[in-house]
Amino acid sequence: MGLFDFLKGNGKKVFGNDAEASEKIREEIERDNPGVKDLSVTYDQGVVTLAGTADSPDAMEKAVLMAGNIQGVAEVKVDQFSAPPQTVDVEFYVIEKGDSLSAIAKNFYGDGGAYSRIFEANREVIKDPNLIYPGQKIRIPKSAV
């Protein structure tokens, strides 16, 4: 894992100009810290590079999604980010127009009522299960909970 692609024009607006982007993105991740230490963020023309240490592979993935789902970010690199190896099978999904967490759960798990599983896996990325937007990238855990 080294590079994640995102839709640059979509997402939460957290910075107004490139000069403040690195600090604002770092603050956004640290606000709901998913389990990262010594976080360093650099932003250059739509590319975010994260460095630091994650307590778990989930924590690193959540930090990447938190950075990537910010308006103005097209790519996230994690070559300088260390985390234990992933032991749970996780798929990434880009939300499409008309999607809901229950529809996504029905598609992946065969049960729309399992939407809370997706919400919990993305709690730092999705603040309200009823407020998702097209282009937002989320994690879909595939193993049993």
Side-chain angles (χ1 to χ4, degrees):
M1 191 177 336
L3 174 70
F4 293 86
D5 297 323
F6 293 86
L7 298 175
K8 187 175 182 177
N10 286 6
K12 181 178 181 180
K13 186 172 174 86
V14 299
F15 61 89
N17 60 58
D18 289 1
E20 66 181 6
S22 297
E23 182 63 21
K24 294 292 185 180
I25 294 169
R26 186 186 60 74
E27 289 172 1
E28 185 71 15
I29 294 169
E30 288 182 341
R31 179 181 304 78
D32 292 312
N33 192 323
V36 295
K37 296 180 185 103
D38 304 319
L39 179 64
S40 169
V41 178
T42 58
Y43 176 90
D44 184 28
Q45 299 179 5
V47 178
V48 171
T49 302
L50 299 178
T53 305
D55 294 339
S56 68
D58 293 351
M60 184 184 76
E61 290 169 355
K62 289 176 182 182
V64 168
L65 292 174
M66 291 168 79
N69 285 316
I70 291 174
Q71 191 175 67
V73 176
E75 301 174 6
V76 178
K77 296 182 180 182
V78 293
D79 298 332
Q80 303 294 320
F81 207 104
S82 63
Q86 182 61 273
T87 57
V88 176
D89 193 13
V90 174
E91 186 170 334
F92 294 94
Y93 178 76
V94 178
I95 294 172
E96 298 176 0
K97 185 175 181 177
D99 272 346
S100 66
L101 289 185
S102 60
I104 296 167
K106 174 94 171 138
N107 181 49
F108 280 92
Y109 305 135
D111 177 12
Y115 78 90
S116 61
R117 200 169 146 196
I118 296 170
F119 178 63
E120 287 302 321
N122 293 280
R123 189 173 277 292
E124 294 84 358
V125 178
I126 301 171
K127 299 299 179 195
D128 180 335
N130 296 311
L131 296 175
I132 59 175
Y133 58 87
Q136 187 176 27
K137 193 176 278 191
I138 60 174
R139 304 170 65 245
I140 309 290
K142 295 176 90 180
S143 64
V145 173

